[in-house]
Amino acid sequence: MLYSLAGMPVVYVIGEDWTLRAGVRAELRERGIEALGMETSADAGAALGAGQMPSAIVLDANSKAASEPAIQKLVGHVPSVVVASRTSTVCLGSATKTLFRPVQIREIVSAVLDLLKGQTA
């Protein structure tokens, strides 16, 4: 896996829905993963600027950030789980895994853990 300076993998959880962010972050942190909640692409840019490169991303496709080119580029380079509605118009074809609503937090966490297992230390 890719690790932060603290020795834990870093996962960006990007979306405007605070309940999704909080639930996913809490579950990932329980598993020893540094999960950073972000509402906007500016938040992600600030974390990148601070040297916190993500090992994986969880992106709410319904958020404004999902349609921003910087986030789409990041999703193209980092293994990602996208949570989308079946009527979503955002195209994130480079996402590693897409989960459709309704989805449970444990499903999202399981998908993230699967992505992290595939990375080398």
Side-chain angles (χ1 to χ4, degrees), residues 13 25 35 41 43 49 62 79 86 115:
V13 183
R25 288 181 65 221
S41 61
D43 296 336
N62 291 338
R86 296 200 184 274
L115 291 180

Side-chain angles (χ1 to χ4, degrees), residues 5-117:
L5 295 176
M8 296 189 299
V10 174
V11 175
Y12 288 5
V13 183
I14 305 171
E16 295 161 6
D17 179 357
W18 71 268
T19 56
L20 175 73
R21 283 194 326 264
V24 171
R25 288 181 65 221
E27 289 294 325
L28 290 173
R29 286 181 173 206
E30 284 292 319
R31 289 166 173 76
I33 297 166
E34 180 64 29
L36 305 176
M38 302 169 182
E39 209 169 318
T40 66
S41 61
D43 296 336
L48 285 169
Q52 294 176 309
M53 183 64 184
S55 300
I57 297 170
V58 175
L59 177 65
D60 182 353
N62 291 338
S63 68
K64 293 176 189 170
S67 62
E68 295 181 17
I71 296 297
Q72 291 179 356
K73 184 176 179 181
L74 190 60
V75 167
H77 295 303
V78 177
S80 303
V81 175
V82 174
V83 179
S85 68
R86 296 200 184 274
T87 60
S88 179
T89 58
V90 176
C91 180
L92 294 164
S94 59
T96 306
K97 176 89 173 167
T98 302
L99 299 174
F100 293 99
R101 285 185 169 87
V103 64
Q104 295 180 346
I105 298 296
R106 70 173 178 235
E107 293 174 273
I108 298 168
V109 170
S110 177
V112 170
L113 295 174
D114 287 345
L115 291 180
L116 295 176
K117 283 181 194 172

